[in-house]
Amino acid sequence: MRETDRLRVAVAAPLSEENCALIRELEPRIDLVVDPSLLPPMRWPADFAGDPAWRRTPRQRSAYEAALDSADALYGIPDVDPSALARTVRANGRLRWVHTMAAGGGSQVKAAGLGPEELDRVAFTTSAGVHGQPLAEFAVFGVLAGAKDLPRLGRQQRAHEWSGRWTMRQVSEQTVLVLGLGGIGRVVAAKLWALGARVIGTSRKDVSLPGVAEVVRPDRLAEVAPTVDAVVNTLPGTAATEHLLDKRFFDALRPGATLVNVGRGNVVDETALLDALDSGRVGFAALDVFETEPLPAHSPLWDHDHVLISPHTAALNTAEDRLIAELFAANATRLLDGRALLNRVDTVEFY
């Protein structure tokens, strides 16, 4: 990226006054263009889409787009809408950088349908890493819930049934497969290793990480599946990862294995997963993401006794807005100093 003296940033997503001040403090060379009246009110922390009932007036729409079209960089994808992103890129020839609020913002960039020249002109970055700790905690929760047979405990409690005792599984005696060793996967692996689990990770690169006993390439998943007690997906949704966990993989799993998904929903073939749940090949699934969101009311996953559904909320915590603001400021410094950006989107595979 080229070195510049100042960076004009249009705030395209809700941003509190406190975090505006934080960004300016961390990188004084930023000129923030922000008008809270042009942005939807948040319903909860990190609600960057805002209240869906809120609408701009025509005058507000013109003012919002004028601000976007005057900037060198955008804080957020406008209205979390790929078509609005495409409009802005094409209307604003000076735009050089867009930061997405999501860890998986590459999918939003892909959906904008930008051409090669546009993708070359504008750098896109994501908020990957910001969500690592809360997602890792949910992953550990899911692995523990599977080991301790949460579905059976729930059924028996609802029935007021005091059964005979049974032996629960110990995470410290389990092998857990962590799909993806990026910002989220590394934290998941570290927490599971701290509990005594043997961790196998997947990566397309040759990596060595503390707490990860073995690293395998994705094409070896079916080979290692019979050796694992639990699987945690942290992978983004790309053409290469779509339905990576398919019938072949589930058929190879050790019976009763736990599945946790905190990556993207389309990594899991949900039809194959349901078959695996019905057959007992998967004993428990803790799912925060799904192929279609919101999860359709008719999905059999809602009523399956061995499934725990979280409405894509496992990543959310009260610190998220501040952490994204800090990450943005750090990347702005890199941009202004002519250094490589963190979390830059690969515009071939869009992750």
Side-chain angles (χ1 to χ4, degrees), residues 165-176:
R165 300 172 70 191
W166 74 89
T167 302
M168 290 185 174
R169 292 173 290 176
Q170 308 301 307
V171 173
S172 60
E173 299 172 356
Q174 291 192 336
T175 296
V176 183

Side-chain angles (χ1 to χ4, degrees), residues 69-87:
D69 296 349
S70 72
D72 304 305
L74 300 184
Y75 184 87
I77 290 179
D79 297 329
V80 199
D81 180 353
S83 64
L85 173 62
R87 187 215 67 81

Side-chain angles (χ1 to χ4, degrees), residues 114-341:
L114 300 171
E117 182 278 330
E118 294 163 333
L119 293 171
D120 184 60
R121 171 169 60 88
V122 182
F124 299 92
T125 57
T126 75
S127 296
V130 165
H131 314 89
Q133 291 292 340
L135 286 178
E137 287 198 9
F138 184 88
V140 171
F141 162 69
V143 172
L144 282 166
K148 306 309 177 186
D149 208 347
L150 181 63
R152 179 176 178 177
L153 291 171
R155 288 194 304 272
Q156 291 189 182
Q157 181 174 343
R158 289 189 295 272
H160 297 193
E161 175 189 352
W162 185 275
S163 71
R165 300 172 70 191
W166 74 89
T167 302
M168 290 185 174
R169 292 173 290 176
Q170 308 301 307
V171 173
S172 60
E173 299 172 356
Q174 291 192 336
T175 296
V176 183
L177 175 63
V178 177
L179 301 179
L181 292 174
I184 298 168
R186 291 173 185 237
V187 183
V188 171
K191 290 185 183 296
L192 290 169
W193 175 76
L195 290 174
R198 180 177 185 269
V199 179
I200 299 174
T202 69
S203 176
R204 293 184 297 178
K205 302 175 182 177
D206 293 326
V207 296
S208 177
L209 295 172
V212 179
E214 182 182 1
V215 178
V216 300
R217 297 190 182 275
D219 58 8
R220 289 187 55 204
L221 286 182
E223 177 185 333
V224 300
T227 71
V228 303
D229 303 283
V231 181
V232 177
N233 175 53
T234 74
L235 291 169
T238 69
T241 64
E242 185 169 3
H243 286 187
L244 188 65
L245 300 188
D246 56 8
K247 183 179 187 302
R248 179 170 175 261
F249 174 80
F250 289 123
D251 285 350
L253 264 182
R254 180 178 291 174
T258 296
L259 172 68
V260 182
N261 194 0
V262 294
R264 279 296 178 263
N266 63 0
V267 177
V268 176
D269 180 339
E270 289 179 2
T271 299
L273 171 59
L274 280 162
D275 288 343
L277 285 161
D278 290 340
S279 70
R281 186 66 64 176
V282 172
F284 175 71
L287 308 174
D288 184 55
V289 290
F290 302 88
E291 289 194 78
T292 300
E293 295 185 5
L295 183 65
H298 58 77
S299 171
L301 291 170
W302 280 111
D303 299 310
H304 204 290
D305 284 345
H306 294 268
V307 174
L308 180 69
I309 289 175
S310 166
H312 205 147
T313 196
L316 194 64
N317 82 59
T318 56
E320 183 174 340
D321 294 353
R322 173 181 57 79
L323 293 172
I324 292 176
E326 290 174 348
L327 173 61
F328 179 82
N331 253 345
T333 297
R334 287 174 168 267
L335 181 77
L336 287 161
D337 292 344
R339 292 185 286 143
L341 295 174

Side-chain angles (χ1 to χ4, degrees), residues 18-30 32 329 333:
E18 179 182 4
N19 284 324
C20 284
L22 176 62
I23 289 172
R24 292 187 181 105
E25 176 186 351
L26 292 172
E27 180 42 80
R29 293 173 291 176
I30 286 178
L32 281 183
T333 297

